[in-house]
Amino acid sequence: MQLWLIFALIAPMLWSIVNIVDTILRRKYIKDDYILTFWYGMMSFLAIIFIPFVGFSVPPITILLLCLFVGIINVYAVVPYFKAITEEETSRVVALWLMMPVMLPFLAFIFLGERLSLVQYAGFFLVVISGALISIRKHVHKLPKLSKALRWMLLSGIMFNVSILILKYVYTNYNYWHSFMWVRVGVVLGAFTLLLWKKNRINLRSQWKILKLSGIRLLAAGEVIDFGAMILSTIAIAAGPVTIIVGLGNFQSLFLLIYVVILA
């Protein structure tokens, strides 16, 4: 089994843990989507620890701008995700998120020249359709209706899928680790842009004052796990076909279900 395939499977295993942590944080400790997203962005400072081992350089201007753009868009893609987990069960939110890359195989073919077999395409769309069915909620004596979180996950999914395609291009044309570092710079910049709104600055100070030590520990643990999953996922994207890697991400729902059963 190729290494990128193993990484592509471990990443959703870790992200399912992050989903549980995020839900607890959002509902119990930090009840503001933008502030929680800000702390998510700040954890990208962890990338500094890799510089002595992998080096650091300034890429060509096109690559640099793409890296910064991906970092910033990733921050704003997280905001609707946090909004979604306040309106819907975490397992459904994850399923909704994972059904969003329906256009990814076509985009990957057009912009990256990526081709898959007929069986691989069929498997990809089967997973997407399954996610769509999960998004429909049934009510006794009422017609089925779409989940309230669908609009948020649609927005989040579109932004993340755009960033994945750009990352594949960047990692193919420039040093992986150096590109990764600049994407982290973009994430930090994106997090700071959230503070351009006065309301967010006020809420950041007020939320920090009332945040319990247990909440700080949970936040740190969740973000470290998320950072590890991000590294594994981006390595997989750099080495393997984007459509397959995104498709494997659908195992996240299965891992989440297993964790929920164990914790219950």
Side-chain angles (χ1 to χ4, degrees), residues 21-198:
V21 172
D22 287 342
T23 302
I24 298 172
L25 282 170
R26 179 59 183 82
R27 296 180 180 179
K28 186 176 180 181
Y29 294 102
I30 305 176
K31 299 182 179 181
D32 187 294
D33 306 313
Y34 295 96
I35 303 309
L36 195 50
T37 302
F38 171 80
W39 289 118
Y40 153 79
M42 288 299 98
M43 290 306 295
S44 283
F45 275 118
L46 286 173
I48 294 175
I49 65 178
F50 292 103
I51 292 179
F53 306 101
V54 300
F56 189 69
S57 64
V58 179
I61 186 64
T62 302
I63 297 295
L64 175 61
L65 292 176
L66 287 175
C67 288
L68 296 178
F69 175 74
V70 168
I72 293 172
I73 199 176
N74 277 357
V75 169
Y76 283 88
V78 172
V79 175
Y81 158 71
F82 284 130
K83 289 184 178 296
I85 61 177
T86 64
E87 297 183 357
E88 186 60 274
E89 299 169 10
T90 305
S91 58
R92 287 184 180 273
V93 169
V94 172
L96 290 171
W97 203 351
L98 298 176
M99 67 173 258
M100 294 310 156
V102 62
M103 294 300 296
L104 192 59
F106 304 107
L107 295 175
F109 174 77
I110 295 172
F111 295 105
L112 302 176
E114 186 174 281
R115 294 176 174 84
L116 301 178
S117 68
L118 183 60
V119 173
Q120 289 173 325
Y121 280 122
F124 177 85
F125 285 109
L126 180 62
V127 171
V128 170
I129 292 172
S130 300
L133 293 175
I134 290 175
S135 73
I136 300 176
R137 299 188 68 98
K138 293 183 178 180
H139 298 268
V140 180
H141 306 306
K142 293 182 180 179
L143 293 174
K145 64 178 182 179
L146 292 175
S147 166
K148 294 184 295 182
L150 179 60
R151 66 187 187 280
W152 296 121
M153 297 318 297
L154 179 60
L155 177 60
S156 180
I158 289 173
M159 287 191 283
F160 271 117
N161 288 321
V162 168
S163 72
I164 288 173
L165 289 173
I166 296 175
L167 281 178
K168 180 64 177 180
Y169 171 81
V170 169
Y171 292 152
T172 303
N173 291 277
Y174 195 67
N175 179 280
Y176 164 77
W177 281 108
H178 295 189
S179 301
F180 177 81
M181 295 298 176
W182 281 106
V183 172
R184 296 304 100 198
V185 172
V187 171
V188 173
L189 290 175
F192 276 117
T193 63
L194 295 175
L195 300 182
L196 293 175
W197 286 268
K198 182 178 179 180

Side-chain angles (χ1 to χ4, degrees), residues 205-232:
R205 288 192 294 267
S206 61
Q207 290 279 338
W208 179 255
K209 289 179 181 178
I210 64 174
L211 186 60
K212 298 178 181 178
L213 180 60
S214 57
I216 296 175
R217 289 173 177 170
L218 189 63
L219 174 65
E223 297 307 333
V224 168
I225 296 173
D226 178 67
F227 191 76
M230 182 67 67
I231 291 176
L232 295 176

